[in-house]
Amino acid sequence: MTEDRARLNALPAAYPRLFPKGPLHWGFELGDGWSQVVALLCERLDTILQEAPGASIEVLQVKEKFGGLRFYYSHHGVSDEMATALRDAVELAATASLQICERCGRSGDVQDKAGWLRVVCSVCRIDP
C-alpha cells in the first residue's frame, strides 16, 4: 500500500463527522495521486462543520468520473449558508482535480483514451 493510499484510508477515522459509518463500503474509488486533494477537502469540510455543532455530513462515495473527482455526500442540520460553503469546497476540489494527475499527483491534464477520460501527467500518459 502506498503512502498516499494509506492517507486516504485514514480519513474516515480522522474525520468521524464526515464518515459517521466508518470507512466507505467500496473505499476511495480513485487514483492515489488525488489523495492530497481529498484530504484537504475533508479538512475544509470539517472546519466548516465546526461552525455549527449540530451539523453533520455523511460522505457517501468518493470516486473518479469523466476524468474528475466526484465527492457525493448528504448533509444534516446545516443552514443554507453552510450548505453553500460545503458545496463550494467540493466544487473547488473537483475543479482542482482536473489539473492533477490521478496516478501520481503531478500537474496533469485530461487525456481521452478511446472515450475514457483521465487526468494524467506527461510521465503517466498512455500514448495512443
Side-chain angles (χ1 to χ4, degrees):
M1 177 184 314
T2 68
E3 182 179 322
D4 290 329
R5 183 55 53 170
R7 178 186 304 156
L8 287 171
N9 291 341
L11 292 175
Y15 298 103
R17 288 184 72 183
L18 306 181
F19 300 91
K21 295 179 181 175
L24 297 171
H25 182 70
W26 296 107
F28 291 90
E29 304 169 79
L30 44 77
D32 295 354
W34 286 351
S35 66
Q36 185 173 0
V37 173
V38 175
L40 289 172
L41 173 58
C42 288
E43 181 181 344
R44 177 66 185 136
L45 296 176
D46 191 61
T47 299
I48 293 168
L49 289 174
Q50 289 176 15
E51 297 172 14
S56 66
I57 70 171
E58 180 181 350
V59 177
L60 304 171
Q61 186 177 32
V62 181
K63 68 179 190 174
E64 176 278 330
K65 185 173 182 179
F66 301 119
L69 173 66
R70 299 296 186 264
F71 192 93
Y72 299 110
Y73 65 97
S74 61
H75 56 73
H76 313 282
V78 302
S79 66
D80 290 342
E81 182 179 293
M82 184 175 284
T84 299
L86 293 169
R87 186 174 43 253
D88 288 349
V90 170
E91 288 177 9
L92 183 64
T95 299
S97 74
L98 296 173
Q99 299 175 6
I100 299 170
C101 179
E102 185 184 354
R103 295 184 69 202
C104 70
R106 291 183 191 98
S107 179
D109 55 12
V110 178
Q111 177 187 23
D112 182 344
K113 178 74 172 166
W116 292 96
L117 302 177
R118 188 167 195 161
V119 179
V120 292
C121 65
S122 59
V123 175
C124 297
R125 183 168 309 281
I126 301 169
D127 292 324

